[in-house]
Amino acid sequence: MTENIDLVFHNTANMMQHIHYAPKTLDDKFASQIFTSYLQQLDPRKRIFLQQDIKEFKKYESQLDDELRGKQVQFYKVVNTTFRKRLEESEQLVNELLKEPFTFNRADSYNSNLDNQPWSNSAEEQKARWKNYLKYQVLVQYDDLLELESKDSTTVKPGEQPEKKAREIVSRIEKRYIENLRKLTTEEESFNTYINSVINLYDPHSNYFLPVDRREFQENMSGVYYGIGALLQEQQGKVSIGELMLGGPAAKSGQIEKGDVIVRVGQQGQKPVEVSGMAMSDVIKLIRGSKGTTVTITFRKQDGSLKDVALQREALQLEDTFVKSAIIEDSRGRIGY
């Protein structure tokens, strides 16, 4: 696909113009919307790029509609090169800031509303922004640990400092976050992000799929997948069991309960993968697999203990995929539902 990027991009744009119900006017105004949408998608928290990067990218802004009409596609490649560099710098910054303890002995504030916030003007400003954000995240984890410790003294080991443990948790979460962003910098994924930032401006229900994503989409549309029969939920970097599906492997095992937190996922013959801080979608990909294969999941139970449960994947149906109907009759008549 990589050698045909221009062809794929131009053909997709041409198709959107001819078959979409609301084609766009390919002009500088639309180019500006693409520019804003793409950068927002890559760095929504505005902690990766610097203002000087945005100024450099601005040179390409007025050309983005020309790229749609047939000009060589360059913009996303330039952005992606800078994005890779800034990610490395951000990772080093996070590691540096989380090495030292945070103190919470004075009033401070953190603004999570970034809609109108500009990118940092300097590396110093960016460091201050990261520090403020990380301090807030550590405080959240610190507060959770103190609450859990009041209920279960084994949450924090003897001699272990809750603030230090909170920093370690945040470090894992941020490492996973940066790693997920790094995945977007591969040749295919960077193109995928860019082309979808364009297509989503037509409407949020139109998407371009890479071949691997297309296969996953078709699986979801078929309503059948191979897994353990559990609905997951994600809170503060932890993925846990939300509900057990009746008759599924997880429910039949009798060893898994709602609220159990997933700690590790192991495939047959492979080293288990730690999932702390991992996106729920990535945890789901680890748990699902081929029919009849075994997945071993380590759960943190409600009492704080760890439990390994080996489960054989079975074919399961996504009930929400299917249309159902019923006719309800009462004194008022018949109602179709």
Side-chain angles (χ1 to χ4, degrees), residues 278-327:
M278 188 179 286
M280 188 167 72
S281 58
D282 290 330
V283 177
I284 290 172
K285 287 178 181 178
L286 287 174
I287 293 175
R288 291 185 184 179
S290 302
K291 180 181 181 180
T293 55
T294 299
V295 60
T296 301
I297 304 175
T298 303
F299 294 97
R300 186 172 297 283
K301 307 293 286 184
Q302 300 297 310
D303 62 3
S305 63
L306 295 176
K307 187 176 185 66
D308 292 336
V309 183
L311 301 163
Q312 190 175 71
R313 298 179 176 103
E314 295 179 7
L316 301 161
Q317 286 191 336
L318 294 165
E319 292 296 328
D320 290 345
T321 302
F322 304 106
V323 175
K324 299 177 182 178
S325 65
I327 294 178

CSV table of all heavy atoms in Angstrom, one decimal, residues 278-327:
chain,number,residue,atom,x,y,z
A,278,MET,N,-2.9,0.0,29.6
A,278,MET,CA,-3.2,-0.3,28.2
A,278,MET,C,-4.6,0.0,27.8
A,278,MET,O,-5.5,-0.1,28.7
A,278,MET,CB,-3.0,-1.8,27.9
A,278,MET,CG,-3.0,-2.3,26.5
A,278,MET,SD,-2.7,-4.1,26.3
A,278,MET,CE,-1.0,-4.1,26.5
A,279,ALA,N,-4.8,0.5,26.6
A,279,ALA,CA,-6.2,0.9,26.2
A,279,ALA,C,-7.1,-0.4,26.1
A,279,ALA,O,-6.6,-1.5,25.8
A,279,ALA,CB,-6.1,1.5,24.8
A,280,MET,N,-8.3,-0.2,26.5
A,280,MET,CA,-9.2,-1.4,26.5
A,280,MET,C,-9.3,-2.1,25.2
A,280,MET,O,-9.4,-3.4,25.2
A,280,MET,CB,-10.6,-0.9,27.0
A,280,MET,CG,-11.6,-2.1,27.3
A,280,MET,SD,-13.1,-1.6,28.1
A,280,MET,CE,-13.9,-0.8,26.8
A,281,SER,N,-9.3,-1.4,24.1
A,281,SER,CA,-9.3,-2.0,22.8
A,281,SER,C,-8.1,-3.0,22.6
A,281,SER,O,-8.3,-4.0,21.9
A,281,SER,CB,-9.4,-0.9,21.7
A,281,SER,OG,-8.2,-0.1,21.8
A,282,ASP,N,-7.0,-2.6,23.1
A,282,ASP,CA,-5.8,-3.4,23.0
A,282,ASP,C,-5.9,-4.7,23.9
A,282,ASP,O,-5.4,-5.7,23.5
A,282,ASP,CB,-4.5,-2.6,23.3
A,282,ASP,CG,-4.2,-1.6,22.3
A,282,ASP,OD1,-4.5,-1.8,21.1
A,282,ASP,OD2,-3.6,-0.6,22.6
A,283,VAL,N,-6.5,-4.5,25.0
A,283,VAL,CA,-6.7,-5.6,25.9
A,283,VAL,C,-7.6,-6.6,25.3
A,283,VAL,O,-7.4,-7.9,25.3
A,283,VAL,CB,-7.2,-5.2,27.3
A,283,VAL,CG1,-7.5,-6.4,28.2
A,283,VAL,CG2,-6.3,-4.2,28.0
A,284,ILE,N,-8.7,-6.1,24.6
A,284,ILE,CA,-9.7,-7.0,24.0
A,284,ILE,C,-9.0,-7.8,22.9
A,284,ILE,O,-9.2,-9.0,22.7
A,284,ILE,CB,-10.8,-6.1,23.4
A,284,ILE,CG1,-11.7,-5.6,24.5
A,284,ILE,CG2,-11.7,-7.0,22.4
A,284,ILE,CD1,-12.7,-4.6,24.1
A,285,LYS,N,-8.1,-7.2,22.1
A,285,LYS,CA,-7.4,-7.9,21.0
A,285,LYS,C,-6.5,-9.0,21.6
A,285,LYS,O,-6.4,-10.0,21.0
A,285,LYS,CB,-6.5,-6.9,20.3
A,285,LYS,CG,-7.3,-5.9,19.4
A,285,LYS,CD,-6.4,-4.9,18.7
A,285,LYS,CE,-7.2,-4.0,17.8
A,285,LYS,NZ,-6.3,-3.0,17.1
A,286,LEU,N,-5.9,-8.8,22.8
A,286,LEU,CA,-5.1,-9.8,23.4
A,286,LEU,C,-6.0,-11.0,23.9
A,286,LEU,O,-5.6,-12.2,23.8
A,286,LEU,CB,-4.4,-9.3,24.6
A,286,LEU,CG,-3.2,-8.4,24.4
A,286,LEU,CD1,-2.7,-7.8,25.7
A,286,LEU,CD2,-2.1,-9.1,23.7
A,287,ILE,N,-7.2,-10.7,24.4
A,287,ILE,CA,-8.1,-11.7,24.9
A,287,ILE,C,-8.7,-12.5,23.8
A,287,ILE,O,-8.9,-13.8,23.9
A,287,ILE,CB,-9.1,-11.1,25.9
A,287,ILE,CG1,-8.4,-10.5,27.1
A,287,ILE,CG2,-10.2,-12.1,26.3
A,287,ILE,CD1,-9.4,-9.8,28.0
A,288,ARG,N,-9.1,-11.9,22.7
A,288,ARG,CA,-9.8,-12.6,21.6
A,288,ARG,C,-8.7,-13.3,20.8
A,288,ARG,O,-7.5,-13.0,20.8
A,288,ARG,CB,-10.5,-11.6,20.7
A,288,ARG,CG,-11.8,-11.1,21.4
A,288,ARG,CD,-12.5,-10.2,20.4
A,288,ARG,NE,-13.7,-9.6,21.0
A,288,ARG,CZ,-14.5,-8.8,20.4
A,288,ARG,NH1,-14.4,-8.5,19.1
A,288,ARG,NH2,-15.6,-8.2,21.1
A,289,GLY,N,-9.2,-14.4,20.1
A,289,GLY,CA,-8.2,-15.1,19.3
A,289,GLY,C,-8.9,-16.2,18.5
A,289,GLY,O,-10.1,-16.0,18.1
A,290,SER,N,-8.3,-17.2,18.1
A,290,SER,CA,-8.8,-18.3,17.3
A,290,SER,C,-9.7,-19.3,18.2
A,290,SER,O,-9.4,-19.5,19.4
A,290,SER,CB,-7.7,-19.1,16.6
A,290,SER,OG,-6.9,-18.2,15.8
A,291,LYS,N,-10.6,-19.9,17.5
A,291,LYS,CA,-11.5,-20.8,18.2
A,291,LYS,C,-10.8,-22.0,18.8
A,291,LYS,O,-9.9,-22.6,18.2
A,291,LYS,CB,-12.5,-21.4,17.2
A,291,LYS,CG,-13.5,-22.4,17.7
A,291,LYS,CD,-14.5,-22.9,16.7
A,291,LYS,CE,-15.5,-23.9,17.2
A,291,LYS,NZ,-16.4,-24.4,16.2
A,292,GLY,N,-11.1,-22.3,20.1
A,292,GLY,CA,-10.5,-23.4,20.7
A,292,GLY,C,-9.1,-23.2,21.4
A,292,GLY,O,-8.6,-24.0,22.1
A,293,THR,N,-8.5,-22.0,21.2
A,293,THR,CA,-7.2,-21.7,21.8
A,293,THR,C,-7.4,-21.3,23.2
A,293,THR,O,-8.5,-20.9,23.6
A,293,THR,CB,-6.5,-20.6,21.0
A,293,THR,OG1,-7.3,-19.5,20.9
A,293,THR,CG2,-6.1,-21.1,19.6
A,294,THR,N,-6.4,-21.4,24.0
A,294,THR,CA,-6.5,-21.0,25.4
A,294,THR,C,-5.8,-19.7,25.7
A,294,THR,O,-4.7,-19.5,25.2
A,294,THR,CB,-5.8,-22.2,26.3
A,294,THR,OG1,-6.5,-23.4,26.0
A,294,THR,CG2,-5.9,-21.8,27.8
A,295,VAL,N,-6.4,-18.9,26.6
A,295,VAL,CA,-5.8,-17.7,27.0
A,295,VAL,C,-5.8,-17.7,28.6
A,295,VAL,O,-6.8,-18.1,29.2
A,295,VAL,CB,-6.6,-16.4,26.5
A,295,VAL,CG1,-8.1,-16.5,27.0
A,295,VAL,CG2,-5.9,-15.1,27.0
A,296,THR,N,-4.7,-17.4,29.2
A,296,THR,CA,-4.6,-17.4,30.6
A,296,THR,C,-4.5,-15.9,31.1
A,296,THR,O,-3.7,-15.1,30.7
A,296,THR,CB,-3.3,-18.1,31.1
A,296,THR,OG1,-3.4,-19.5,30.7
A,296,THR,CG2,-3.3,-18.1,32.6
A,297,ILE,N,-5.5,-15.6,31.9
A,297,ILE,CA,-5.7,-14.2,32.4
A,297,ILE,C,-5.4,-14.1,33.9
A,297,ILE,O,-6.0,-14.9,34.7
A,297,ILE,CB,-7.0,-13.6,32.1
A,297,ILE,CG1,-7.3,-13.7,30.6
A,297,ILE,CG2,-7.1,-12.2,32.5
A,297,ILE,CD1,-8.7,-13.3,30.2
A,298,THR,N,-4.6,-13.2,34.3
A,298,THR,CA,-4.3,-12.9,35.7
A,298,THR,C,-5.3,-11.8,36.2
A,298,THR,O,-5.2,-10.7,35.6
A,298,THR,CB,-2.9,-12.6,36.0
A,298,THR,OG1,-2.0,-13.6,35.5
A,298,THR,CG2,-2.6,-12.4,37.5
A,299,PHE,N,-6.1,-12.1,37.2
A,299,PHE,CA,-7.0,-11.1,37.7
A,299,PHE,C,-6.6,-10.7,39.1
A,299,PHE,O,-6.1,-11.5,39.9
A,299,PHE,CB,-8.4,-11.7,37.8
A,299,PHE,CG,-9.1,-12.0,36.5
A,299,PHE,CD1,-9.0,-13.3,36.0
A,299,PHE,CD2,-9.7,-11.1,35.8
A,299,PHE,CE1,-9.6,-13.7,34.8
A,299,PHE,CE2,-10.3,-11.4,34.5
A,299,PHE,CZ,-10.3,-12.7,34.1
A,300,ARG,N,-6.8,-9.4,39.4
A,300,ARG,CA,-6.7,-9.0,40.8
A,300,ARG,C,-8.1,-9.0,41.4
A,300,ARG,O,-9.0,-8.3,40.9
A,300,ARG,CB,-6.1,-7.6,40.9
A,300,ARG,CG,-5.9,-7.1,42.4
A,300,ARG,CD,-5.1,-5.8,42.5
A,300,ARG,NE,-3.8,-5.9,41.9
A,300,ARG,CZ,-2.8,-6.5,42.5
A,300,ARG,NH1,-2.9,-7.1,43.7
A,300,ARG,NH2,-1.6,-6.5,42.0
A,301,LYS,N,-8.4,-9.9,42.3
A,301,LYS,CA,-9.7,-10.0,42.9
A,301,LYS,C,-10.0,-8.9,43.8
A,301,LYS,O,-9.2,-8.1,44.2
A,301,LYS,CB,-9.7,-11.4,43.6
A,301,LYS,CG,-9.3,-12.6,42.8
A,301,LYS,CD,-10.3,-12.8,41.6
A,301,LYS,CE,-11.6,-13.5,42.1
A,301,LYS,NZ,-12.5,-13.8,41.0
A,302,GLN,N,-11.3,-8.9,44.3
A,302,GLN,CA,-11.8,-7.8,45.2
A,302,GLN,C,-11.0,-7.8,46.5
A,302,GLN,O,-10.9,-6.7,47.1
A,302,GLN,CB,-13.2,-8.0,45.5
A,302,GLN,CG,-14.1,-8.0,44.2
A,302,GLN,CD,-14.1,-6.7,43.5
A,302,GLN,OE1,-14.3,-5.7,44.1
A,302,GLN,NE2,-13.9,-6.7,42.2
A,303,ASP,N,-10.5,-8.9,46.9
A,303,ASP,CA,-9.7,-8.9,48.2
A,303,ASP,C,-8.2,-8.6,48.0
A,303,ASP,O,-7.4,-8.6,48.9
A,303,ASP,CB,-9.8,-10.3,48.9
A,303,ASP,CG,-9.2,-11.4,48.0
A,303,ASP,OD1,-8.7,-11.1,46.9
A,303,ASP,OD2,-9.3,-12.6,48.5
A,304,GLY,N,-7.8,-8.2,46.7
A,304,GLY,CA,-6.5,-7.8,46.5
A,304,GLY,C,-5.6,-9.0,46.0
A,304,GLY,O,-4.5,-8.7,45.6
A,305,SER,N,-6.0,-10.2,46.1
A,305,SER,CA,-5.2,-11.3,45.7
A,305,SER,C,-5.2,-11.5,44.2
A,305,SER,O,-6.1,-11.0,43.5
A,305,SER,CB,-5.8,-12.6,46.3
A,305,SER,OG,-7.1,-12.9,45.8
A,306,LEU,N,-4.2,-12.2,43.7
A,306,LEU,CA,-4.1,-12.4,42.2
A,306,LEU,C,-4.5,-13.8,41.9
A,306,LEU,O,-4.2,-14.8,42.7
A,306,LEU,CB,-2.6,-12.2,41.8
A,306,LEU,CG,-2.1,-10.8,41.9
A,306,LEU,CD1,-0.6,-10.7,41.4
A,306,LEU,CD2,-2.9,-9.8,41.0
A,307,LYS,N,-5.2,-14.0,40.8
A,307,LYS,CA,-5.6,-15.4,40.4
A,307,LYS,C,-5.5,-15.6,38.9
A,307,LYS,O,-5.9,-14.7,38.1
A,307,LYS,CB,-7.1,-15.5,40.8
A,307,LYS,CG,-7.6,-17.0,40.6
A,307,LYS,CD,-9.1,-17.1,41.1
A,307,LYS,CE,-9.6,-18.5,41.0
A,307,LYS,NZ,-8.9,-19.4,41.9
A,308,ASP,N,-4.8,-16.6,38.6
A,308,ASP,CA,-4.6,-17.0,37.2
A,308,ASP,C,-5.8,-17.9,36.7
A,308,ASP,O,-6.1,-18.9,37.4
A,308,ASP,CB,-3.3,-17.8,36.9
A,308,ASP,CG,-2.1,-16.9,37.1
A,308,ASP,OD1,-2.2,-15.7,37.0
A,308,ASP,OD2,-1.0,-17.4,37.4
A,309,VAL,N,-6.4,-17.6,35.6
A,309,VAL,CA,-7.6,-18.4,35.1
A,309,VAL,C,-7.3,-18.7,33.7
A,309,VAL,O,-7.2,-17.8,32.8
A,309,VAL,CB,-8.9,-17.6,35.3
A,309,VAL,CG1,-10.1,-18.5,34.8
A,309,VAL,CG2,-9.1,-17.2,36.7
A,310,ALA,N,-7.2,-20.0,33.3
A,310,ALA,CA,-7.1,-20.4,32.0
A,310,ALA,C,-8.4,-20.7,31.3
A,310,ALA,O,-9.3,-21.4,31.9
A,310,ALA,CB,-6.2,-21.7,31.9
A,311,LEU,N,-8.7,-20.0,30.2
A,311,LEU,CA,-10.0,-20.2,29.5
A,311,LEU,C,-9.8,-20.5,28.1
A,311,LEU,O,-8.9,-20.0,27.4
A,311,LEU,CB,-10.7,-18.8,29.6
A,311,LEU,CG,-11.0,-18.3,31.0
A,311,LEU,CD1,-11.4,-16.8,31.0
A,311,LEU,CD2,-12.1,-19.1,31.7
A,312,GLN,N,-10.7,-21.4,27.6
A,312,GLN,CA,-10.7,-21.8,26.2
A,312,GLN,C,-11.6,-20.9,25.4
A,312,GLN,O,-12.8,-20.8,25.8
A,312,GLN,CB,-11.0,-23.2,26.0
A,312,GLN,CG,-10.8,-23.7,24.6
A,312,GLN,CD,-11.0,-25.2,24.5
A,312,GLN,OE1,-12.2,-25.7,24.5
A,312,GLN,NE2,-10.0,-26.0,24.3
A,313,ARG,N,-11.1,-20.2,24.4
A,313,ARG,CA,-12.0,-19.3,23.6
A,313,ARG,C,-13.1,-20.1,22.9
A,313,ARG,O,-12.8,-21.2,22.3
A,313,ARG,CB,-11.2,-18.5,22.6
A,313,ARG,CG,-10.1,-17.6,23.2
A,313,ARG,CD,-9.3,-16.9,22.2
A,313,ARG,NE,-8.3,-16.0,22.7
A,313,ARG,CZ,-7.0,-16.2,22.8
A,313,ARG,NH1,-6.5,-17.4,22.3
A,313,ARG,NH2,-6.2,-15.3,23.2
A,314,GLU,N,-14.3,-19.5,22.9
A,314,GLU,CA,-15.4,-20.1,22.2
A,314,GLU,C,-16.1,-19.1,21.3
A,314,GLU,O,-15.9,-17.9,21.4
A,314,GLU,CB,-16.5,-20.6,23.2
A,314,GLU,CG,-16.0,-21.7,24.1
A,314,GLU,CD,-17.1,-22.2,25.1
A,314,GLU,OE1,-18.2,-21.7,25.0
A,314,GLU,OE2,-16.7,-23.0,26.0
A,315,ALA,N,-16.8,-19.6,20.3
A,315,ALA,CA,-17.6,-18.7,19.4
A,315,ALA,C,-18.7,-18.0,20.2
A,315,ALA,O,-19.5,-18.7,20.9
A,315,ALA,CB,-18.2,-19.5,18.3
A,316,LEU,N,-18.8,-16.7,20.1
A,316,LEU,CA,-19.7,-15.9,20.8
A,316,LEU,C,-20.4,-15.0,19.9
A,316,LEU,O,-19.8,-14.6,18.9
A,316,LEU,CB,-19.1,-15.2,22.0
A,316,LEU,CG,-18.3,-16.0,23.0
A,316,LEU,CD1,-17.4,-15.2,23.8
A,316,LEU,CD2,-19.3,-16.7,24.0
A,317,GLN,N,-21.6,-14.6,20.2
A,317,GLN,CA,-22.4,-13.7,19.4
A,317,GLN,C,-22.5,-12.3,20.0
A,317,GLN,O,-22.7,-12.2,21.3
A,317,GLN,CB,-23.8,-14.2,19.1
A,317,GLN,CG,-23.8,-15.4,18.2
A,317,GLN,CD,-25.3,-15.7,17.7
A,317,GLN,OE1,-26.2,-15.4,18.4
A,317,GLN,NE2,-25.4,-16.3,16.6
A,318,LEU,N,-22.3,-11.3,19.2
A,318,LEU,CA,-22.5,-9.9,19.7
A,318,LEU,C,-23.9,-9.6,19.5
A,318,LEU,O,-24.4,-9.2,18.4
A,318,LEU,CB,-21.6,-8.9,18.9
A,318,LEU,CG,-20.1,-9.1,19.1
A,318,LEU,CD1,-19.3,-8.3,18.0
A,318,LEU,CD2,-19.7,-8.5,20.5
A,319,GLU,N,-24.7,-9.7,20.5
A,319,GLU,CA,-26.2,-9.6,20.4
A,319,GLU,C,-26.6,-8.2,19.8
A,319,GLU,O,-27.6,-8.1,19.1
A,319,GLU,CB,-26.9,-9.9,21.7
A,319,GLU,CG,-26.8,-11.3,22.2
A,319,GLU,CD,-27.5,-12.3,21.3
A,319,GLU,OE1,-28.5,-11.9,20.7
A,319,GLU,OE2,-27.0,-13.4,21.1
A,320,ASP,N,-25.8,-7.2,20.2
A,320,ASP,CA,-26.2,-5.9,19.7
A,320,ASP,C,-26.1,-5.7,18.2
A,320,ASP,O,-26.5,-4.7,17.6
A,320,ASP,CB,-25.3,-4.8,20.4
A,320,ASP,CG,-25.7,-4.7,21.9
A,320,ASP,OD1,-26.8,-5.2,22.3
A,320,ASP,OD2,-24.9,-4.1,22.6
A,321,THR,N,-25.4,-6.7,17.6
A,321,THR,CA,-25.2,-6.6,16.1
A,321,THR,C,-26.5,-6.9,15.4
A,321,THR,O,-26.7,-6.4,14.3
A,321,THR,CB,-24.1,-7.6,15.7
A,321,THR,OG1,-22.9,-7.3,16.4
A,321,THR,CG2,-23.9,-7.5,14.2
A,322,PHE,N,-27.4,-7.7,16.0
A,322,PHE,CA,-28.5,-8.2,15.3
A,322,PHE,C,-29.8,-7.3,15.5
A,322,PHE,O,-30.0,-6.8,16.6
A,322,PHE,CB,-28.8,-9.6,15.6
A,322,PHE,CG,-27.6,-10.5,15.4
A,322,PHE,CD1,-26.9,-11.0,16.5
A,322,PHE,CD2,-27.3,-10.9,14.1
A,322,PHE,CE1,-25.8,-11.8,16.2
A,322,PHE,CE2,-26.2,-11.7,13.9
A,322,PHE,CZ,-25.4,-12.2,15.0
A,323,VAL,N,-30.6,-7.3,14.5
A,323,VAL,CA,-31.9,-6.6,14.6
A,323,VAL,C,-32.9,-7.6,15.2
A,323,VAL,O,-33.0,-8.7,14.7
A,323,VAL,CB,-32.4,-6.0,13.3
A,323,VAL,CG1,-33.8,-5.4,13.4
A,323,VAL,CG2,-31.4,-5.0,12.7
A,324,LYS,N,-33.7,-7.1,16.2
A,324,LYS,CA,-34.8,-8.0,16.7
A,324,LYS,C,-36.1,-7.2,16.7
A,324,LYS,O,-36.1,-6.0,16.6
A,324,LYS,CB,-34.4,-8.4,18.2
A,324,LYS,CG,-33.1,-9.1,18.3
A,324,LYS,CD,-32.8,-9.4,19.8
A,324,LYS,CE,-31.5,-10.1,19.9
A,324,LYS,NZ,-31.1,-10.3,21.3
A,325,SER,N,-37.2,-8.0,16.7
A,325,SER,CA,-38.5,-7.3,16.7
A,325,SER,C,-39.5,-8.1,17.6
A,325,SER,O,-39.3,-9.2,18.0
A,325,SER,CB,-39.0,-7.3,15.3
A,325,SER,OG,-39.3,-8.7,14.8
A,326,ALA,N,-40.5,-7.3,18.0
A,326,ALA,CA,-41.6,-7.9,18.8
A,326,ALA,C,-42.8,-7.1,18.6
A,326,ALA,O,-42.8,-6.0,18.2
A,326,ALA,CB,-41.2,-7.9,20.3
A,327,ILE,N,-44.0,-7.8,18.7
A,327,ILE,CA,-45.3,-7.2,18.7
A,327,ILE,C,-45.9,-7.2,20.1
A,327,ILE,O,-46.1,-8.3,20.7
A,327,ILE,CB,-46.2,-7.8,17.6
A,327,ILE,CG1,-45.6,-7.6,16.2
A,327,ILE,CG2,-47.6,-7.2,17.7
A,327,ILE,CD1,-46.4,-8.3,15.1
